[in-house]
Amino acid sequence: MKKQTGDGADQGPVTIKKYANRRLYNTESSSYITLEHLATMTRAGRDFKVVDAKTDEDITHNILTQIIMEAEGRGTTPMLPVNFLRQLIAMYGDSMQAVVPGYLEASMDSFRRNQDQFRSAVEGAFANSPFAEIAKRNMAMFDAATKAFKPGTGPVPAAPVAASKDEEIASLRAELAALHDKVERLGR
């Protein structure tokens, strides 16, 4: 993900170095920063890469996970429901583990594409509002995403969306089912 500057030039990912003393150094601003700074950069759409200062190993995944853990642990209402976390943990080591990251990323991308419309629908949801249907679709999509990780559940019913999206979802489900069948056959 690259962010455009006002003059139209692309900015590449910022390199953040993590030192043994757990300090994070922003090489672009030549300053030490905190995890909260990285969270703010993420919310602003600024891409970054965190590397271990000694080994140059990419530890971005670990740092992003740490940001989520801290945000989930702050006394506010957690974003990740306990049941979802249990289902996610249960997927580790499962034959479908390799499919889960792509599925979660696609689900979140789809949700983000409708985020502004979703916020409008939630903030001013009137029964006859044109945004009410968008909010329902987003909620159905989120429900489908969480149900997909529940063991023993079959294919998730399609959310009420335009025919082309229904066809795309049906196609993706068919591909996922075929992959699941192949993995199961290979596991036998």
Side-chain angles (χ1 to χ4, degrees):
M1 141 172 84
K2 288 187 178 183
K3 186 167 180 155
Q4 289 283 337
T5 58
D7 62 6
D10 280 339
Q11 293 177 323
V14 176
T15 299
I16 309 295
K17 292 187 176 187
K18 182 174 186 267
Y19 289 92
N21 63 3
R22 298 176 42 129
R23 293 190 75 185
L24 299 167
Y25 184 77
N26 182 332
T27 60
E28 183 179 70
S29 66
S30 299
S31 62
Y32 286 99
I33 60 172
T34 64
L35 289 176
E36 187 54 41
H37 286 103
L38 292 179
T40 301
M41 287 173 67
T42 301
R43 285 188 287 274
R46 188 66 170 104
D47 196 12
F48 58 85
K49 177 180 178 181
V50 183
V51 296
D52 182 285
K54 187 175 183 179
T55 66
D56 217 26
E57 175 188 1
D58 184 347
I59 57 171
T60 308
H61 184 274
N62 298 348
I63 296 299
L64 291 172
T65 303
Q66 187 176 353
I67 291 169
I68 291 169
M69 287 177 48
E70 286 191 8
E72 287 289 306
R74 284 187 195 120
T76 61
T77 304
M79 186 183 302
L80 302 173
V82 170
N83 197 34
F84 172 80
L85 292 171
R86 287 183 180 162
Q87 292 169 17
L88 190 60
I89 291 167
M91 294 299 291
Y92 282 93
D94 184 88
S95 60
M96 296 299 291
Q97 180 177 343
V99 179
V100 173
Y103 179 80
L104 289 175
E105 191 169 351
S107 296
M108 196 53 133
D109 285 345
S110 180
F111 179 76
R112 293 286 301 220
R113 281 192 301 271
N114 294 318
Q115 188 175 25
D116 290 336
Q117 295 165 343
F118 178 75
R119 282 186 179 149
S120 296
V122 170
E123 290 170 0
F126 295 103
N128 297 326
S129 168
F131 294 112
E133 186 60 32
I134 294 169
K136 287 179 189 175
R137 285 194 334 233
N138 282 327
M139 291 308 295
M141 184 175 43
F142 251 58
D143 287 342
T146 57
K147 287 178 184 172
F149 298 108
K150 189 177 285 186
T153 58
V156 180
V161 292
S164 63
K165 290 204 181 237
D166 281 343
E167 292 168 1
E168 184 180 341
I169 290 171
S171 172
L172 289 172
R173 284 196 182 115
E175 289 178 39
L176 185 59
L179 284 172
H180 181 69
D181 290 343
K182 284 181 184 178
V183 170
E184 289 298 317
R185 282 194 302 266
L186 290 172
R188 291 182 193 147

